[in-house]
Amino acid sequence: MLNLVAFNHDIRKCLHAHQHEIDKEKLERIHPQSYCYKNSVNILVGKQGSGKTFTCAYEIAKISQIHDETHLLIIVCKDENKEDPTIRSLSSMINVPIEYVPEDNAEQYMRRLLAYKRLYDTIKENHYENQVERDQCEELFDVLKINDFSRDYLHTILLFNDIAKSKLFSRATNYFNQLLPICRHIQCSFFLNVQFWKSLPPEIKANATIIIIFGGFDVRQLYYIFSQVPTALSVKEILPEYRQLQKHDKIVVDCETGEVYLDNSL
């Protein structure tokens, strides 16, 4: 017969022994001053010039300053060496290296990065830090853009602008679409910018953690967005505040809690 008391005690011991692995895969708020979660999918919906990239840069700058495990910002762009002027203007506030990766190389780059992150995790979990050869360390650090093994794990941020036109998300079987449901396991947070909600494939909408909606949409478009957003709040309840939105103001939908609120902090 199963001794439930002893069994539960052993379960707690197992969880405690593996707490490090559990913690790094949690979906939890990064900080009270940020509405972003660690290991999340953040979708920003707004017309051209509404402030999507600025909001991403602002949130990423906050995360880089308050979350020690964040090691790298990857910006996937259409063209090689295409710096984003908004990101560049705030780059001094972003306390992690910024890598611009062209779409054509993005999958190869990400596969390599994740392989090196797995190697980093193996070294940390087995306490091999002092056993790795110097040249191997240098290669690992160069790929991951780090200087040492001081972080418990590595949290990576990826930013994609205008994903509706990106071939990286054009099919459900595409590599990056496959990464969205497992972002907790790979310790990555995605920021996905798009001009119109309707242009997003269902698999991206289904994996959203935070949805940020900027001003400028008419009532019909808002009804369409909120018909696919997990919240009990109706468009009629939101509409009075939504109509007052200024540039960089937005409605934030937390898909984990169903909470909807106005953010006009900028």
Side-chain angles (χ1 to χ4, degrees):
M1 176 181 283
L2 175 67
N3 183 331
L4 194 58
V5 173
F7 178 78
N8 288 342
H9 176 71
D10 289 342
I11 288 290
R12 286 192 293 271
K13 282 177 61 179
C14 288
L15 291 174
H16 179 74
H18 295 274
Q19 194 62 49
H20 168 70
E21 294 100 306
I22 295 169
D23 285 345
K24 72 181 182 181
E25 294 191 5
K26 280 183 178 177
L27 180 68
E28 61 182 5
R29 278 279 175 88
I30 287 176
H31 192 271
Q33 295 178 9
S34 174
Y35 41 69
C36 295
Y37 288 79
K38 178 181 68 178
N39 307 327
S40 61
V41 177
N42 306 279
I43 302 175
L44 293 87
V45 189
K47 295 182 179 180
Q48 190 170 9
S50 59
K52 297 186 298 295
T53 304
F54 177 82
T55 297
C56 285
Y58 177 76
E59 286 302 316
I60 290 167
K62 284 196 292 184
I63 292 168
S64 74
Q65 295 193 22
I66 59 183
H67 189 249
D68 293 338
E69 272 66 40
T70 300
H71 72 112
L72 177 63
L73 166 61
I74 300 166
I75 301 176
V76 180
C77 49
K78 298 286 184 186
D79 305 311
E80 194 167 5
N81 299 321
K82 175 88 175 192
E83 257 196 304
D84 186 283
T86 303
I87 298 290
R88 185 172 64 244
S89 68
L90 293 177
S91 60
S92 63
M93 302 295 293
I94 299 175
N95 288 355
V96 293
I98 302 172
E99 285 286 298
Y100 285 86
V101 180
E103 271 195 2
D104 290 343
N105 298 338
E107 180 176 337
Q108 179 183 0
Y109 177 93
M110 197 61 189
R111 286 185 185 276
R112 184 170 184 247
L113 182 81
L114 292 181
Y116 278 77
K117 283 180 69 172
R118 288 193 295 271
L119 179 57
Y120 181 94
D121 288 342
T122 300
I123 292 169
K124 290 290 291 184
E125 288 163 12
N126 293 281
H127 308 291
Y128 292 154
E129 292 92 334
N130 296 323
Q131 300 178 39
V132 184
E133 297 290 337
R134 182 176 177 178
D135 59 338
Q136 294 173 327
C137 262
E138 289 176 354
E139 181 182 350
L140 181 71
F141 293 168
D142 180 61
V143 172
L144 298 175
K145 307 304 175 191
I146 57 176
N147 299 316
D148 51 40
F149 289 106
S150 60
R151 294 177 173 91
D152 288 339
Y153 62 91
L154 301 175
H155 171 245
T156 312
I157 299 175
L158 294 97
L159 169 60
F160 295 80
N161 274 318
D162 201 7
I163 62 168
K165 297 179 181 178
S166 173
K167 60 185 178 182
L168 300 176
F169 295 93
S170 59
R171 295 190 304 274
T173 54
N174 282 8
Y175 177 69
F176 282 96
N177 273 329
Q178 299 298 309
L179 292 184
L180 299 182
I182 62 168
C183 58
R184 285 190 292 175
H185 304 306
I186 59 175
Q187 291 86 55
C188 289
S189 292
F190 292 82
F191 286 80
L192 310 176
N193 291 347
V194 68
Q195 292 192 34
F196 296 101
W197 180 258
K198 191 174 183 179
S199 62
L200 287 175
E203 55 272 10
I204 293 180
K205 297 175 183 177
N207 286 294
T209 312
I210 293 289
I211 301 169
I212 300 173
I213 306 164
F214 292 83
F217 294 115
D218 60 33
V219 175
R220 179 180 55 82
Q221 291 169 316
L222 276 180
Y223 269 106
Y224 180 76
I225 294 171
F226 275 87
S227 70
Q228 300 179 356
V229 167
T231 177
L233 210 60
S234 69
V235 172
K236 286 183 179 179
E237 295 172 278
I238 297 165
L239 199 54
E241 286 187 312
Y242 183 79
R243 284 175 168 160
Q244 302 301 315
L245 294 186
Q246 304 298 315
K247 186 172 182 178
H248 296 156
D249 293 350
K250 53 262 182 193
I251 297 291
V252 179
V253 181
D254 186 327
C255 298
E256 293 300 302
T257 65
E259 182 184 6
V260 179
Y261 55 90
L262 170 67
D263 179 8
N264 58 0
S265 57
L266 294 176

